[in-house]
Amino acid sequence: MGFLDGLMGNVSEIENGQVESELKDLLASSEKVEHAYKLIRDLIVFTNKRLLLIDKQGMSGKKVEYHSVPYRSIVHFSIETAGTFDLDAELKIWLSGSSVPIQKKFNKTLNIYKVQSVLAEYVMR
């Protein structure tokens, strides 16, 4: 992922092992990272139990907000594929009790169908 992609809000896939070691104190003993995506310093992590949205704040990034979303809280979701002129793919997730979706943009090189498939696997159990 280039710096310009990060500034434009694009997300790229990163290694699961790297994320698991970073989140070892946060994950439950039976929880495994399935897929992880990085936006400059922030992370979107799909585990076998929940969706984690990790927001590193401030200049140093030492202050971190961990937003944990159980898959059962997801009411519905949508994807929008990248086009010829619109180079971003987008994922929208609606949570129970909220009318405003969580929105994440992905660069064109990332397979948005794979992200949707991972989410569908856990939401539709």
Side-chain angles (χ1 to χ4, degrees):
M1 174 178 85
F3 181 71
L4 186 57
D5 281 341
L7 290 177
M8 293 174 57
N10 292 326
V11 179
S12 296
E13 193 164 12
I14 59 173
E15 262 187 55
N16 296 347
Q18 175 187 350
V19 176
E20 276 192 8
S21 64
E22 184 179 330
L23 301 178
K24 66 181 184 241
D25 295 332
L26 189 66
L27 298 175
S29 61
S30 62
E31 193 171 17
K32 301 288 181 214
V33 171
E34 297 288 327
H35 297 276
Y37 303 92
K38 187 170 188 170
L39 167 62
I40 303 178
R41 298 182 306 176
D42 298 344
L43 296 172
I44 301 169
V45 180
F46 292 92
T47 76
N48 59 329
K49 306 282 185 185
R50 60 187 163 159
L51 173 63
L52 288 167
L53 303 171
I54 300 163
D55 180 17
K56 295 186 179 181
Q57 302 170 4
M59 294 297 285
S60 67
K62 289 185 179 183
K63 182 177 179 180
V64 181
E65 177 183 14
Y66 298 95
H67 189 116
S68 178
V69 179
Y71 292 118
R72 67 181 177 277
S73 299
I74 298 173
V75 177
H76 69 277
F77 57 93
S78 69
I79 61 169
E80 181 179 298
T81 60
T84 304
F85 298 107
D86 181 9
L87 301 178
D88 297 332
E90 191 170 331
L91 171 68
K92 293 180 184 177
I93 302 170
W94 284 264
L95 302 179
S96 173
S98 178
S99 61
V100 179
I102 296 170
Q103 297 183 33
K104 297 295 178 185
K105 290 188 178 193
F106 296 78
N107 62 31
K108 193 173 186 173
T109 60
L110 185 83
N111 184 348
I112 191 70
Y113 294 107
K114 180 180 176 185
V115 175
Q116 186 276 157
S117 178
V118 171
L119 188 55
E121 171 89 22
Y122 293 110
V123 170
M124 297 191 304
R125 282 188 178 179

